[in-house]
């Protein structure tokens, strides 16, 4: 049973999410503020976090930033504002999805299921991808570079795996948003650049590692192994 942490300073919002998630087979834990959320996350493991951005004292951005220091747990952020800058900032901090309040509870359930499908360990139906110095195992979502494990966020892993399935093929940012993020993030292609940058940095931490993700200027990105 997937375990989900819901963080929101509005009790009615937390209760609404619980009412819709529990009948779908999810276990729900609640936190009423960011400080409490960080305390709970330090003691328990979760499969997904639903995180409100606009909270007093410790806001959602601070929580997301702190969580991403040592955890790749998927995060769906909630915001009462539809401003693009809020969504972009949240995504660049490592959130996997976002919803703007007021939201449809049924859509919330659908988003939760979609994120978990992409982030929970997959059945070993897809083969391991092997390249020069790089191994990607979809059964465990484990990535190794020159024999050393590399810790990626769920979205960074999805991005790498998607690109690596078609070496040499160039994808636009819009195509990557559609295929990796799962639906249209119109106007937010910058988040692709941010994730590619972080992915490259993590892969390059292994001394002597080739560069695996190349920029095709004016178009997008492609996977290739180059020294």
């Amino acid at each position: 049973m997937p375990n989900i942490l819901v963080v929101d300073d509005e009790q009615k919002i937390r209760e609404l999410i619980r009412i819709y998630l529990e009948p779908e087979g999810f276990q729900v834990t609640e936190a009423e503020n960011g400080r409490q959320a960080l305390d709970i996350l330090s003691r328990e493991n979760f499969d997904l976090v639903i995180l409100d951005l606009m909270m007093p004292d410790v806001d959602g951005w601070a929580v997301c930033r702190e969580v991403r220091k040592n955890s790749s747990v998927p995060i769906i952020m909630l915001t009462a504002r539809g401003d693009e800058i809020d969504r972009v900032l949240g995504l660049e901090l490592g959130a996997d999805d976002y919803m703007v309040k007021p939201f449809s509870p049924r859509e919330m359930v659908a988003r939760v299921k979609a994120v978990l499908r992409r982030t929970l360990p997959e059945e070993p139906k897809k083969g391991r991808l092997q390249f020069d110095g790089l191994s990607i195992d979809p059964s465990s979502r484990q990535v190794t570079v020159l024999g050393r494990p590399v810790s990626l966020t769920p979205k960074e892993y999805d991005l790498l795996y998607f690109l690596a399935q078609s070496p040499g093929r160039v994808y636009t940012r819009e195509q990557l948003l559609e295929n990796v993020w799962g639906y249209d993030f119109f106007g937010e292609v910058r988040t692709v650049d941010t994730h590619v940058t972080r992915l490259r940095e993590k892969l390059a931490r292994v001394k002597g590692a080739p560069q695996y993700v190349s920029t095709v200027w004016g178009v997008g990105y492609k996977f290739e192994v180059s020294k």
Side-chain angles (χ1 to χ4, degrees), residues 63-88:
V63 173
C64 188
R65 189 179 295 109
E66 190 65 27
V67 168
R68 281 293 176 258
K69 289 181 179 179
N70 51 31
S71 173
S72 61
V73 61
I75 296 174
I76 297 178
M77 58 185 185
L78 304 178
T79 175
R81 294 185 292 181
D83 293 345
E84 179 181 331
I85 187 63
D86 287 347
R87 302 194 300 270
V88 171

Side-chain angles (χ1 to χ4, degrees), residues 193-209:
D193 298 331
T194 300
H195 280 76
V196 168
T197 298
R198 290 179 177 173
L199 175 60
R200 283 172 170 165
E201 289 174 350
K202 290 183 177 181
L203 296 176
R205 287 174 188 171
V206 179
K207 187 176 180 180

Side-chain angles (χ1 to χ4, degrees), residues 178-196:
E178 181 180 351
N179 286 279
V180 177
W181 274 255
Y183 42 82
D184 185 18
F185 275 76
F186 178 74
E188 293 163 14
V189 293
R190 192 176 70 181
T191 194
V192 174
D193 298 331
T194 300
H195 280 76
V196 168

Side-chain angles (χ1 to χ4, degrees), residues 74-108:
I75 296 174
I76 297 178
M77 58 185 185
L78 304 178
T79 175
R81 294 185 292 181
D83 293 345
E84 179 181 331
I85 187 63
D86 287 347
R87 302 194 300 270
V88 171
L89 177 58
L91 292 168
E92 290 184 350
L93 286 176
D96 296 84
D97 199 356
Y98 71 89
M99 294 194 70
V100 178
K101 296 179 181 178
F103 55 83
S104 160
R106 290 184 176 84
E107 182 183 357
M108 165 66 72

Side-chain angles (χ1 to χ4, degrees), residues 9 19 24 34 45 69 105 120 141 161 181 183 194-195 209 218:
D9 59 335
I19 288 171
E24 296 291 332
N45 292 322
K69 289 181 179 179
L120 287 178
R141 296 176 69 87
Y161 191 85
W181 274 255
Y183 42 82
T194 300
H195 280 76

Side-chain angles (χ1 to χ4, degrees), residues 27-94:
Q27 180 179 335
V28 177
T29 300
E30 297 180 25
E32 62 184 20
N33 56 60
R35 198 172 301 282
Q36 184 181 36
L38 290 173
D39 179 60
I40 293 173
L41 286 164
S42 70
R43 295 181 281 106
E44 301 180 45
N45 292 322
F46 292 89
D47 297 298
L48 185 142
V49 176
I50 298 175
L51 176 65
D52 182 34
L53 289 182
M54 304 302 294
M55 294 184 293
D57 192 13
V58 180
D59 61 27
W61 284 290
V63 173
C64 188
R65 189 179 295 109
E66 190 65 27
V67 168
R68 281 293 176 258
K69 289 181 179 179
N70 51 31
S71 173
S72 61
V73 61
I75 296 174
I76 297 178
M77 58 185 185
L78 304 178
T79 175
R81 294 185 292 181
D83 293 345
E84 179 181 331
I85 187 63
D86 287 347
R87 302 194 300 270
V88 171
L89 177 58
L91 292 168
E92 290 184 350
L93 286 176

